[in-house]
PDB file of all heavy atoms in Angstrom:
ATOM      1  N   ASN A   1      31.340  30.217  54.535  1.00  0.00           N
ATOM      2  CA  ASN A   1      31.526  29.214  55.591  1.00  0.00           C
ATOM      3  C   ASN A   1      30.228  28.678  56.229  1.00  0.00           C
ATOM      4  O   ASN A   1      30.329  27.771  56.950  1.00  0.00           O
ATOM      5  CB  ASN A   1      32.495  29.809  56.652  1.00  0.00           C
ATOM      6  CG  ASN A   1      33.877  29.962  56.152  1.00  0.00           C
ATOM      7  OD1 ASN A   1      34.292  29.301  55.130  1.00  0.00           O
ATOM      8  ND2 ASN A   1      34.661  30.738  56.837  1.00  0.00           N
ATOM      9  N   ILE A   2      29.103  29.300  55.835  1.00  0.00           N
ATOM     10  CA  ILE A   2      27.873  28.779  56.353  1.00  0.00           C
ATOM     11  C   ILE A   2      27.079  28.051  55.222  1.00  0.00           C
ATOM     12  O   ILE A   2      25.961  27.622  55.366  1.00  0.00           O
ATOM     13  CB  ILE A   2      26.937  29.820  56.988  1.00  0.00           C
ATOM     14  CG1 ILE A   2      26.562  30.849  55.934  1.00  0.00           C
ATOM     15  CG2 ILE A   2      27.685  30.412  58.194  1.00  0.00           C
ATOM     16  CD1 ILE A   2      25.558  31.843  56.536  1.00  0.00           C
ATOM     17  N   TYR A   3      27.768  27.776  54.095  1.00  0.00           N
ATOM     18  CA  TYR A   3      27.167  27.063  53.007  1.00  0.00           C
ATOM     19  C   TYR A   3      27.646  25.612  53.024  1.00  0.00           C
ATOM     20  O   TYR A   3      28.815  25.319  53.304  1.00  0.00           O
ATOM     21  CB  TYR A   3      27.573  27.668  51.632  1.00  0.00           C
ATOM     22  CG  TYR A   3      26.754  28.880  51.255  1.00  0.00           C
ATOM     23  CD1 TYR A   3      26.899  30.118  51.902  1.00  0.00           C
ATOM     24  CD2 TYR A   3      25.921  28.836  50.190  1.00  0.00           C
ATOM     25  CE1 TYR A   3      26.210  31.214  51.549  1.00  0.00           C
ATOM     26  CE2 TYR A   3      25.133  29.922  49.823  1.00  0.00           C
ATOM     27  CZ  TYR A   3      25.338  31.103  50.497  1.00  0.00           C
ATOM     28  OH  TYR A   3      24.582  32.234  50.100  1.00  0.00           O
ATOM     29  N   HIS A   4      26.760  24.712  52.758  1.00  0.00           N
ATOM     30  CA  HIS A   4      27.149  23.370  52.451  1.00  0.00           C
ATOM     31  C   HIS A   4      27.892  23.322  51.108  1.00  0.00           C
ATOM     32  O   HIS A   4      27.525  24.182  50.230  1.00  0.00           O
ATOM     33  CB  HIS A   4      25.927  22.440  52.356  1.00  0.00           C
ATOM     34  CG  HIS A   4      24.978  22.505  53.533  1.00  0.00           C
ATOM     35  ND1 HIS A   4      25.505  22.240  54.809  1.00  0.00           N
ATOM     36  CD2 HIS A   4      23.703  22.779  53.633  1.00  0.00           C
ATOM     37  CE1 HIS A   4      24.430  22.410  55.656  1.00  0.00           C
ATOM     38  NE2 HIS A   4      23.381  22.690  54.957  1.00  0.00           N
ATOM     39  N   MET A   5      28.903  22.504  50.969  1.00  0.00           N
ATOM     40  CA  MET A   5      29.685  22.440  49.771  1.00  0.00           C
ATOM     41  C   MET A   5      29.638  21.034  49.156  1.00  0.00           C
ATOM     42  O   MET A   5      29.492  20.030  49.924  1.00  0.00           O
ATOM     43  CB  MET A   5      31.167  22.753  50.026  1.00  0.00           C
ATOM     44  CG  MET A   5      31.371  24.155  50.709  1.00  0.00           C
ATOM     45  SD  MET A   5      30.967  25.500  49.540  1.00  0.00           S
ATOM     46  CE  MET A   5      32.297  25.292  48.327  1.00  0.00           C
ATOM     47  N   GLY A   6      29.712  20.884  47.861  1.00  0.00           N
ATOM     48  CA  GLY A   6      29.652  19.567  47.243  1.00  0.00           C
ATOM     49  C   GLY A   6      30.252  19.572  45.890  1.00  0.00           C
ATOM     50  O   GLY A   6      30.689  20.588  45.323  1.00  0.00           O
ATOM     51  N   TRP A   7      30.285  18.356  45.337  1.00  0.00           N
ATOM     52  CA  TRP A   7      30.772  18.134  44.025  1.00  0.00           C
ATOM     53  C   TRP A   7      29.752  17.313  43.221  1.00  0.00           C
ATOM     54  O   TRP A   7      29.207  16.306  43.708  1.00  0.00           O
ATOM     55  CB  TRP A   7      32.097  17.389  44.007  1.00  0.00           C
ATOM     56  CG  TRP A   7      33.240  18.179  44.569  1.00  0.00           C
ATOM     57  CD1 TRP A   7      33.565  18.257  45.901  1.00  0.00           C
ATOM     58  CD2 TRP A   7      34.063  19.065  43.888  1.00  0.00           C
ATOM     59  NE1 TRP A   7      34.662  19.158  46.078  1.00  0.00           N
ATOM     60  CE2 TRP A   7      34.970  19.679  44.842  1.00  0.00           C
ATOM     61  CE3 TRP A   7      34.214  19.449  42.511  1.00  0.00           C
ATOM     62  CZ2 TRP A   7      35.947  20.600  44.442  1.00  0.00           C
ATOM     63  CZ3 TRP A   7      35.165  20.328  42.183  1.00  0.00           C
ATOM     64  CH2 TRP A   7      36.032  20.888  43.163  1.00  0.00           C
ATOM     65  N   PHE A   8      29.554  17.655  41.914  1.00  0.00           N
ATOM     66  CA  PHE A   8      28.807  16.896  41.003  1.00  0.00           C
ATOM     67  C   PHE A   8      29.698  16.566  39.801  1.00  0.00           C
ATOM     68  O   PHE A   8      30.800  17.224  39.667  1.00  0.00           O
ATOM     69  CB  PHE A   8      27.596  17.654  40.486  1.00  0.00           C
ATOM     70  CG  PHE A   8      26.450  17.715  41.476  1.00  0.00           C
ATOM     71  CD1 PHE A   8      26.515  18.408  42.665  1.00  0.00           C
ATOM     72  CD2 PHE A   8      25.219  17.031  41.202  1.00  0.00           C
ATOM     73  CE1 PHE A   8      25.529  18.509  43.563  1.00  0.00           C
ATOM     74  CE2 PHE A   8      24.173  17.160  42.136  1.00  0.00           C
ATOM     75  CZ  PHE A   8      24.294  17.865  43.263  1.00  0.00           C
ATOM     76  N   ARG A   9      29.315  15.655  38.985  1.00  0.00           N
ATOM     77  CA  ARG A   9      29.998  15.382  37.734  1.00  0.00           C
ATOM     78  C   ARG A   9      29.087  15.136  36.634  1.00  0.00           C
ATOM     79  O   ARG A   9      27.957  14.674  36.814  1.00  0.00           O
ATOM     80  CB  ARG A   9      31.002  14.270  37.940  1.00  0.00           C
ATOM     81  CG  ARG A   9      30.373  12.887  38.179  1.00  0.00           C
ATOM     82  CD  ARG A   9      31.451  11.876  38.532  1.00  0.00           C
ATOM     83  NE  ARG A   9      30.869  10.549  38.751  1.00  0.00           N
ATOM     84  CZ  ARG A   9      31.562   9.467  39.138  1.00  0.00           C
ATOM     85  NH1 ARG A   9      32.893   9.653  39.457  1.00  0.00           N
ATOM     86  NH2 ARG A   9      30.978   8.306  39.301  1.00  0.00           N
ATOM     87  N   GLN A  10      29.633  15.342  35.343  1.00  0.00           N
ATOM     88  CA  GLN A  10      28.751  15.132  34.207  1.00  0.00           C
ATOM     89  C   GLN A  10      29.652  14.548  33.065  1.00  0.00           C
ATOM     90  O   GLN A  10      30.636  15.164  32.667  1.00  0.00           O
ATOM     91  CB  GLN A  10      28.011  16.342  33.779  1.00  0.00           C
ATOM     92  CG  GLN A  10      27.023  16.099  32.641  1.00  0.00           C
ATOM     93  CD  GLN A  10      26.035  17.241  32.489  1.00  0.00           C
ATOM     94  OE1 GLN A  10      26.390  18.396  32.826  1.00  0.00           O
ATOM     95  NE2 GLN A  10      24.873  16.934  32.025  1.00  0.00           N
ATOM     96  N   SER A  11      29.259  13.453  32.486  1.00  0.00           N
ATOM     97  CA  SER A  11      29.964  12.850  31.316  1.00  0.00           C
ATOM     98  C   SER A  11      29.093  13.106  30.073  1.00  0.00           C
ATOM     99  O   SER A  11      27.830  13.297  30.190  1.00  0.00           O
ATOM    100  CB  SER A  11      30.158  11.401  31.487  1.00  0.00           C
ATOM    101  OG  SER A  11      30.955  11.098  32.621  1.00  0.00           O
ATOM    102  N   PRO A  12      29.657  13.127  28.896  1.00  0.00           N
ATOM    103  CA  PRO A  12      28.844  13.352  27.641  1.00  0.00           C
ATOM    104  C   PRO A  12      27.745  12.293  27.597  1.00  0.00           C
ATOM    105  O   PRO A  12      27.965  11.071  27.769  1.00  0.00           O
ATOM    106  CB  PRO A  12      29.900  13.099  26.570  1.00  0.00           C
ATOM    107  CG  PRO A  12      31.166  13.524  27.140  1.00  0.00           C
ATOM    108  CD  PRO A  12      31.093  13.053  28.599  1.00  0.00           C
ATOM    109  N   GLY A  13      26.550  12.789  27.242  1.00  0.00           N
ATOM    110  CA  GLY A  13      25.409  11.845  27.123  1.00  0.00           C
ATOM    111  C   GLY A  13      24.739  11.456  28.379  1.00  0.00           C
ATOM    112  O   GLY A  13      23.804  10.609  28.384  1.00  0.00           O
ATOM    113  N   LYS A  14      25.275  11.944  29.490  1.00  0.00           N
ATOM    114  CA  LYS A  14      24.704  11.542  30.850  1.00  0.00           C
ATOM    115  C   LYS A  14      24.286  12.790  31.534  1.00  0.00           C
ATOM    116  O   LYS A  14      24.795  13.838  31.351  1.00  0.00           O
ATOM    117  CB  LYS A  14      25.711  10.754  31.670  1.00  0.00           C
ATOM    118  CG  LYS A  14      26.163   9.481  30.995  1.00  0.00           C
ATOM    119  CD  LYS A  14      27.196   8.718  31.951  1.00  0.00           C
ATOM    120  CE  LYS A  14      26.498   8.234  33.183  1.00  0.00           C
ATOM    121  NZ  LYS A  14      27.415   7.473  34.059  1.00  0.00           N
ATOM    122  N   GLU A  15      23.310  12.529  32.516  1.00  0.00           N
ATOM    123  CA  GLU A  15      22.853  13.754  33.364  1.00  0.00           C
ATOM    124  C   GLU A  15      23.866  13.980  34.458  1.00  0.00           C
ATOM    125  O   GLU A  15      24.643  13.121  34.818  1.00  0.00           O
ATOM    126  CB  GLU A  15      21.468  13.464  33.830  1.00  0.00           C
ATOM    127  CG  GLU A  15      21.413  12.249  34.845  1.00  0.00           C
ATOM    128  CD  GLU A  15      20.020  11.949  35.274  1.00  0.00           C
ATOM    129  OE1 GLU A  15      19.056  12.370  34.549  1.00  0.00           O
ATOM    130  OE2 GLU A  15      19.826  11.299  36.327  1.00  0.00           O
ATOM    131  N   ARG A  16      23.847  15.202  34.986  1.00  0.00           N
ATOM    132  CA  ARG A  16      24.676  15.576  36.023  1.00  0.00           C
ATOM    133  C   ARG A  16      24.442  14.674  37.294  1.00  0.00           C
ATOM    134  O   ARG A  16      23.280  14.403  37.618  1.00  0.00           O
ATOM    135  CB  ARG A  16      24.513  16.985  36.422  1.00  0.00           C
ATOM    136  CG  ARG A  16      25.598  17.518  37.343  1.00  0.00           C
ATOM    137  CD  ARG A  16      25.539  19.062  37.385  1.00  0.00           C
ATOM    138  NE  ARG A  16      25.977  19.697  36.196  1.00  0.00           N
ATOM    139  CZ  ARG A  16      26.177  20.936  36.051  1.00  0.00           C
ATOM    140  NH1 ARG A  16      26.063  21.785  37.073  1.00  0.00           N
ATOM    141  NH2 ARG A  16      26.578  21.425  34.847  1.00  0.00           N
ATOM    142  N   GLU A  17      25.511  14.186  37.877  1.00  0.00           N
ATOM    143  CA  GLU A  17      25.412  13.195  38.995  1.00  0.00           C
ATOM    144  C   GLU A  17      26.082  13.713  40.250  1.00  0.00           C
ATOM    145  O   GLU A  17      27.208  14.247  40.252  1.00  0.00           O
ATOM    146  CB  GLU A  17      26.148  11.916  38.494  1.00  0.00           C
ATOM    147  CG  GLU A  17      26.233  10.812  39.508  1.00  0.00           C
ATOM    148  CD  GLU A  17      27.004   9.575  38.927  1.00  0.00           C
ATOM    149  OE1 GLU A  17      28.077   9.825  38.376  1.00  0.00           O
ATOM    150  OE2 GLU A  17      26.453   8.480  39.073  1.00  0.00           O
ATOM    151  N   PHE A  18      25.380  13.610  41.360  1.00  0.00           N
ATOM    152  CA  PHE A  18      25.983  13.966  42.680  1.00  0.00           C
ATOM    153  C   PHE A  18      27.117  13.030  43.058  1.00  0.00           C
ATOM    154  O   PHE A  18      26.991  11.875  42.853  1.00  0.00           O
ATOM    155  CB  PHE A  18      24.873  13.840  43.688  1.00  0.00           C
ATOM    156  CG  PHE A  18      25.365  14.001  45.103  1.00  0.00           C
ATOM    157  CD1 PHE A  18      25.639  15.229  45.662  1.00  0.00           C
ATOM    158  CD2 PHE A  18      25.512  12.869  45.933  1.00  0.00           C
ATOM    159  CE1 PHE A  18      26.154  15.423  46.940  1.00  0.00           C
ATOM    160  CE2 PHE A  18      25.956  13.006  47.231  1.00  0.00           C
ATOM    161  CZ  PHE A  18      26.277  14.237  47.728  1.00  0.00           C
ATOM    162  N   VAL A  19      28.155  13.622  43.515  1.00  0.00           N
ATOM    163  CA  VAL A  19      29.333  12.861  43.870  1.00  0.00           C
ATOM    164  C   VAL A  19      29.595  12.904  45.429  1.00  0.00           C
ATOM    165  O   VAL A  19      29.742  11.857  46.057  1.00  0.00           O
ATOM    166  CB  VAL A  19      30.621  13.382  43.193  1.00  0.00           C
ATOM    167  CG1 VAL A  19      31.846  12.667  43.612  1.00  0.00           C
ATOM    168  CG2 VAL A  19      30.454  13.284  41.678  1.00  0.00           C
ATOM    169  N   ALA A  20      29.599  14.066  46.008  1.00  0.00           N
ATOM    170  CA  ALA A  20      29.939  14.197  47.406  1.00  0.00           C
ATOM    171  C   ALA A  20      29.509  15.549  47.995  1.00  0.00           C
ATOM    172  O   ALA A  20      29.373  16.474  47.259  1.00  0.00           O
ATOM    173  CB  ALA A  20      31.407  14.013  47.673  1.00  0.00           C
ATOM    174  N   ALA A  21      29.242  15.600  49.268  1.00  0.00           N
ATOM    175  CA  ALA A  21      28.964  16.826  49.888  1.00  0.00           C
ATOM    176  C   ALA A  21      29.515  16.908  51.297  1.00  0.00           C
ATOM    177  O   ALA A  21      29.680  15.847  51.919  1.00  0.00           O
ATOM    178  CB  ALA A  21      27.430  17.093  49.946  1.00  0.00           C
ATOM    179  N   ILE A  22      29.778  18.100  51.798  1.00  0.00           N
ATOM    180  CA  ILE A  22      30.195  18.272  53.211  1.00  0.00           C
ATOM    181  C   ILE A  22      29.368  19.382  53.810  1.00  0.00           C
ATOM    182  O   ILE A  22      29.213  20.463  53.201  1.00  0.00           O
ATOM    183  CB  ILE A  22      31.759  18.613  53.224  1.00  0.00           C
ATOM    184  CG1 ILE A  22      32.200  18.649  54.678  1.00  0.00           C
ATOM    185  CG2 ILE A  22      32.101  19.849  52.497  1.00  0.00           C
ATOM    186  CD1 ILE A  22      33.781  18.574  54.876  1.00  0.00           C
ATOM    187  N   HIS A  23      28.914  19.116  55.018  1.00  0.00           N
ATOM    188  CA  HIS A  23      28.136  20.092  55.726  1.00  0.00           C
ATOM    189  C   HIS A  23      28.919  21.323  56.086  1.00  0.00           C
ATOM    190  O   HIS A  23      30.149  21.240  56.207  1.00  0.00           O
ATOM    191  CB  HIS A  23      27.600  19.369  56.987  1.00  0.00           C
ATOM    192  CG  HIS A  23      26.406  19.981  57.643  1.00  0.00           C
ATOM    193  ND1 HIS A  23      26.538  21.070  58.520  1.00  0.00           N
ATOM    194  CD2 HIS A  23      25.128  19.649  57.597  1.00  0.00           C
ATOM    195  CE1 HIS A  23      25.263  21.317  58.980  1.00  0.00           C
ATOM    196  NE2 HIS A  23      24.472  20.522  58.438  1.00  0.00           N
ATOM    197  N   TRP A  24      28.232  22.403  56.368  1.00  0.00           N
ATOM    198  CA  TRP A  24      28.957  23.632  56.795  1.00  0.00           C
ATOM    199  C   TRP A  24      29.650  23.409  58.059  1.00  0.00           C
ATOM    200  O   TRP A  24      30.649  24.115  58.348  1.00  0.00           O
ATOM    201  CB  TRP A  24      28.002  24.845  56.895  1.00  0.00           C
ATOM    202  CG  TRP A  24      26.866  24.764  57.869  1.00  0.00           C
ATOM    203  CD1 TRP A  24      25.574  24.433  57.621  1.00  0.00           C
ATOM    204  CD2 TRP A  24      26.968  24.959  59.260  1.00  0.00           C
ATOM    205  NE1 TRP A  24      24.842  24.445  58.819  1.00  0.00           N
ATOM    206  CE2 TRP A  24      25.715  24.798  59.843  1.00  0.00           C
ATOM    207  CE3 TRP A  24      28.008  25.342  60.174  1.00  0.00           C
ATOM    208  CZ2 TRP A  24      25.436  24.942  61.247  1.00  0.00           C
ATOM    209  CZ3 TRP A  24      27.774  25.527  61.521  1.00  0.00           C
ATOM    210  CH2 TRP A  24      26.463  25.266  62.028  1.00  0.00           C
ATOM    211  N   ASN A  25      29.319  22.467  58.902  1.00  0.00           N
ATOM    212  CA  ASN A  25      29.965  22.175  60.176  1.00  0.00           C
ATOM    213  C   ASN A  25      31.300  21.502  59.902  1.00  0.00           C
ATOM    214  O   ASN A  25      32.068  21.311  60.821  1.00  0.00           O
ATOM    215  CB  ASN A  25      29.068  21.350  61.133  1.00  0.00           C
ATOM    216  CG  ASN A  25      28.703  19.997  60.588  1.00  0.00           C
ATOM    217  OD1 ASN A  25      29.398  19.407  59.794  1.00  0.00           O
ATOM    218  ND2 ASN A  25      27.599  19.430  61.170  1.00  0.00           N
ATOM    219  N   GLY A  26      31.555  21.050  58.678  1.00  0.00           N
ATOM    220  CA  GLY A  26      32.806  20.437  58.340  1.00  0.00           C
ATOM    221  C   GLY A  26      32.985  19.022  58.823  1.00  0.00           C
ATOM    222  O   GLY A  26      34.050  18.458  58.576  1.00  0.00           O
ATOM    223  N   ARG A  27      31.970  18.427  59.372  1.00  0.00           N
ATOM    224  CA  ARG A  27      32.084  17.078  59.932  1.00  0.00           C
ATOM    225  C   ARG A  27      31.219  16.031  59.173  1.00  0.00           C
ATOM    226  O   ARG A  27      31.720  14.919  58.946  1.00  0.00           O
ATOM    227  CB  ARG A  27      31.712  17.062  61.400  1.00  0.00           C
ATOM    228  CG  ARG A  27      32.586  17.959  62.283  1.00  0.00           C
ATOM    229  CD  ARG A  27      32.263  17.767  63.690  1.00  0.00           C
ATOM    230  NE  ARG A  27      30.873  18.172  64.072  1.00  0.00           N
ATOM    231  CZ  ARG A  27      30.547  19.496  64.358  1.00  0.00           C
ATOM    232  NH1 ARG A  27      31.463  20.432  64.355  1.00  0.00           N
ATOM    233  NH2 ARG A  27      29.306  19.723  64.628  1.00  0.00           N
ATOM    234  N   THR A  28      30.033  16.396  58.828  1.00  0.00           N
ATOM    235  CA  THR A  28      29.107  15.436  58.206  1.00  0.00           C
ATOM    236  C   THR A  28      29.376  15.494  56.632  1.00  0.00           C
ATOM    237  O   THR A  28      29.488  16.509  56.021  1.00  0.00           O
ATOM    238  CB  THR A  28      27.665  15.855  58.507  1.00  0.00           C
ATOM    239  OG1 THR A  28      27.512  15.997  59.923  1.00  0.00           O
ATOM    240  CG2 THR A  28      26.708  14.810  57.940  1.00  0.00           C
ATOM    241  N   THR A  29      29.469  14.251  56.127  1.00  0.00           N
ATOM    242  CA  THR A  29      29.694  14.152  54.699  1.00  0.00           C
ATOM    243  C   THR A  29      28.662  13.147  54.045  1.00  0.00           C
ATOM    244  O   THR A  29      28.018  12.388  54.756  1.00  0.00           O
ATOM    245  CB  THR A  29      31.087  13.588  54.375  1.00  0.00           C
ATOM    246  OG1 THR A  29      31.367  12.341  55.065  1.00  0.00           O
ATOM    247  CG2 THR A  29      32.144  14.624  54.846  1.00  0.00           C
ATOM    248  N   ASN A  30      28.548  13.172  52.795  1.00  0.00           N
ATOM    249  CA  ASN A  30      27.597  12.347  51.988  1.00  0.00           C
ATOM    250  C   ASN A  30      28.329  12.034  50.690  1.00  0.00           C
ATOM    251  O   ASN A  30      28.959  12.914  50.009  1.00  0.00           O
ATOM    252  CB  ASN A  30      26.277  13.168  51.748  1.00  0.00           C
ATOM    253  CG  ASN A  30      25.186  12.272  51.210  1.00  0.00           C
ATOM    254  OD1 ASN A  30      25.364  11.008  51.127  1.00  0.00           O
ATOM    255  ND2 ASN A  30      24.148  12.900  50.839  1.00  0.00           N
ATOM    256  N   TYR A  31      28.248  10.777  50.227  1.00  0.00           N
ATOM    257  CA  TYR A  31      28.933  10.322  49.036  1.00  0.00           C
ATOM    258  C   TYR A  31      28.047   9.469  48.158  1.00  0.00           C
ATOM    259  O   TYR A  31      27.233   8.760  48.654  1.00  0.00           O
ATOM    260  CB  TYR A  31      30.125   9.492  49.397  1.00  0.00           C
ATOM    261  CG  TYR A  31      31.298  10.226  50.088  1.00  0.00           C
ATOM    262  CD1 TYR A  31      31.390  10.143  51.511  1.00  0.00           C
ATOM    263  CD2 TYR A  31      32.224  10.876  49.378  1.00  0.00           C
ATOM    264  CE1 TYR A  31      32.389  10.811  52.120  1.00  0.00           C
ATOM    265  CE2 TYR A  31      33.241  11.599  49.980  1.00  0.00           C
ATOM    266  CZ  TYR A  31      33.327  11.481  51.371  1.00  0.00           C
ATOM    267  OH  TYR A  31      34.328  12.167  52.044  1.00  0.00           O
ATOM    268  N   LEU A  32      28.319   9.611  46.888  1.00  0.00           N
ATOM    269  CA  LEU A  32      27.769   8.650  45.908  1.00  0.00           C
ATOM    270  C   LEU A  32      28.358   7.261  46.245  1.00  0.00           C
ATOM    271  O   LEU A  32      29.562   7.156  46.528  1.00  0.00           O
ATOM    272  CB  LEU A  32      28.194   9.045  44.501  1.00  0.00           C
ATOM    273  CG  LEU A  32      27.863   8.148  43.315  1.00  0.00           C
ATOM    274  CD1 LEU A  32      26.397   8.060  43.061  1.00  0.00           C
ATOM    275  CD2 LEU A  32      28.635   8.625  42.079  1.00  0.00           C
ATOM    276  N   GLU A  33      27.603   6.243  46.201  1.00  0.00           N
ATOM    277  CA  GLU A  33      27.996   4.926  46.665  1.00  0.00           C
ATOM    278  C   GLU A  33      29.259   4.462  45.905  1.00  0.00           C
ATOM    279  O   GLU A  33      30.159   3.891  46.519  1.00  0.00           O
ATOM    280  CB  GLU A  33      26.886   3.932  46.531  1.00  0.00           C
ATOM    281  CG  GLU A  33      27.168   2.588  47.141  1.00  0.00           C
ATOM    282  CD  GLU A  33      27.366   2.603  48.629  1.00  0.00           C
ATOM    283  OE1 GLU A  33      26.816   3.515  49.281  1.00  0.00           O
ATOM    284  OE2 GLU A  33      28.122   1.751  49.128  1.00  0.00           O
ATOM    285  N   SER A  34      29.296   4.687  44.593  1.00  0.00           N
ATOM    286  CA  SER A  34      30.439   4.150  43.809  1.00  0.00           C
ATOM    287  C   SER A  34      31.710   4.889  44.102  1.00  0.00           C
ATOM    288  O   SER A  34      32.800   4.374  43.653  1.00  0.00           O
ATOM    289  CB  SER A  34      30.077   4.287  42.323  1.00  0.00           C
ATOM    290  OG  SER A  34      29.945   5.670  41.904  1.00  0.00           O
ATOM    291  N   VAL A  35      31.748   5.989  44.799  1.00  0.00           N
ATOM    292  CA  VAL A  35      33.002   6.706  45.117  1.00  0.00           C
ATOM    293  C   VAL A  35      33.344   6.565  46.635  1.00  0.00           C
ATOM    294  O   VAL A  35      34.429   6.936  47.072  1.00  0.00           O
ATOM    295  CB  VAL A  35      33.017   8.128  44.721  1.00  0.00           C
ATOM    296  CG1 VAL A  35      32.617   8.305  43.255  1.00  0.00           C
ATOM    297  CG2 VAL A  35      32.093   9.034  45.584  1.00  0.00           C
ATOM    298  N   ARG A  36      32.447   6.072  47.422  1.00  0.00           N
ATOM    299  CA  ARG A  36      32.675   5.989  48.853  1.00  0.00           C
ATOM    300  C   ARG A  36      33.882   5.076  49.097  1.00  0.00           C
ATOM    301  O   ARG A  36      33.956   3.977  48.586  1.00  0.00           O
ATOM    302  CB  ARG A  36      31.420   5.428  49.567  1.00  0.00           C
ATOM    303  CG  ARG A  36      31.601   5.407  51.098  1.00  0.00           C
ATOM    304  CD  ARG A  36      30.259   5.064  51.791  1.00  0.00           C
ATOM    305  NE  ARG A  36      29.302   6.134  51.776  1.00  0.00           N
ATOM    306  CZ  ARG A  36      28.153   6.113  51.074  1.00  0.00           C
ATOM    307  NH1 ARG A  36      27.813   5.031  50.353  1.00  0.00           N
ATOM    308  NH2 ARG A  36      27.339   7.179  51.082  1.00  0.00           N
ATOM    309  N   GLY A  37      34.787   5.548  49.970  1.00  0.00           N
ATOM    310  CA  GLY A  37      35.993   4.837  50.228  1.00  0.00           C
ATOM    311  C   GLY A  37      37.171   5.155  49.321  1.00  0.00           C
ATOM    312  O   GLY A  37      38.328   4.809  49.596  1.00  0.00           O
ATOM    313  N   ARG A  38      36.813   5.821  48.157  1.00  0.00           N
ATOM    314  CA  ARG A  38      37.890   6.192  47.219  1.00  0.00           C
ATOM    315  C   ARG A  38      38.084   7.741  47.239  1.00  0.00           C
ATOM    316  O   ARG A  38      39.168   8.234  47.094  1.00  0.00           O
ATOM    317  CB  ARG A  38      37.585   5.798  45.791  1.00  0.00           C
ATOM    318  CG  ARG A  38      37.569   4.297  45.686  1.00  0.00           C
ATOM    319  CD  ARG A  38      37.434   3.833  44.225  1.00  0.00           C
ATOM    320  NE  ARG A  38      36.227   4.385  43.546  1.00  0.00           N
ATOM    321  CZ  ARG A  38      36.185   5.166  42.459  1.00  0.00           C
ATOM    322  NH1 ARG A  38      37.316   5.617  41.986  1.00  0.00           N
ATOM    323  NH2 ARG A  38      35.008   5.543  42.012  1.00  0.00           N
ATOM    324  N   PHE A  39      36.968   8.451  47.355  1.00  0.00           N
ATOM    325  CA  PHE A  39      36.991   9.925  47.344  1.00  0.00           C
ATOM    326  C   PHE A  39      36.758  10.513  48.756  1.00  0.00           C
ATOM    327  O   PHE A  39      36.042   9.843  49.539  1.00  0.00           O
ATOM    328  CB  PHE A  39      35.856  10.512  46.475  1.00  0.00           C
ATOM    329  CG  PHE A  39      36.016  10.204  44.985  1.00  0.00           C
ATOM    330  CD1 PHE A  39      36.981   9.374  44.475  1.00  0.00           C
ATOM    331  CD2 PHE A  39      35.147  10.838  44.063  1.00  0.00           C
ATOM    332  CE1 PHE A  39      37.103   9.135  43.130  1.00  0.00           C
ATOM    333  CE2 PHE A  39      35.273  10.633  42.728  1.00  0.00           C
ATOM    334  CZ  PHE A  39      36.238   9.787  42.250  1.00  0.00           C
ATOM    335  N   THR A  40      37.409  11.581  49.063  1.00  0.00           N
ATOM    336  CA  THR A  40      37.182  12.220  50.326  1.00  0.00           C
ATOM    337  C   THR A  40      36.968  13.738  50.110  1.00  0.00           C
ATOM    338  O   THR A  40      37.825  14.408  49.438  1.00  0.00           O
ATOM    339  CB  THR A  40      38.420  12.093  51.272  1.00  0.00           C
ATOM    340  OG1 THR A  40      38.670  10.682  51.458  1.00  0.00           O
ATOM    341  CG2 THR A  40      38.208  12.707  52.596  1.00  0.00           C
TER     342      THR A  40
END
């Protein structure tokens, strides 16, 4: 519960890509621009 949590993704032939993260405080978030508004 004191760790920041996040998600990455990787497609064949591509490097691993950051998708989203949430701060340990549970309030602050960060998103890949292409998923902002679609992913939570």
Side-chain angles (χ1 to χ4, degrees):
N1 290 338
I2 63 172
Y3 281 70
H4 308 303
M5 303 292 292
W7 293 90
F8 286 67
R9 66 188 183 187
Q10 189 166 25
S11 300
K14 299 182 66 177
E15 64 185 20
R16 190 167 293 189
E17 178 181 47
F18 171 77
V19 176
I22 186 165
H23 199 277
W24 62 260
N25 65 25
R27 298 187 297 273
T28 307
T29 57
N30 191 9
Y31 293 97
L32 175 68
E33 187 65 28
S34 64
V35 309
R36 185 173 287 112
R38 298 189 297 120
F39 292 9
T40 302

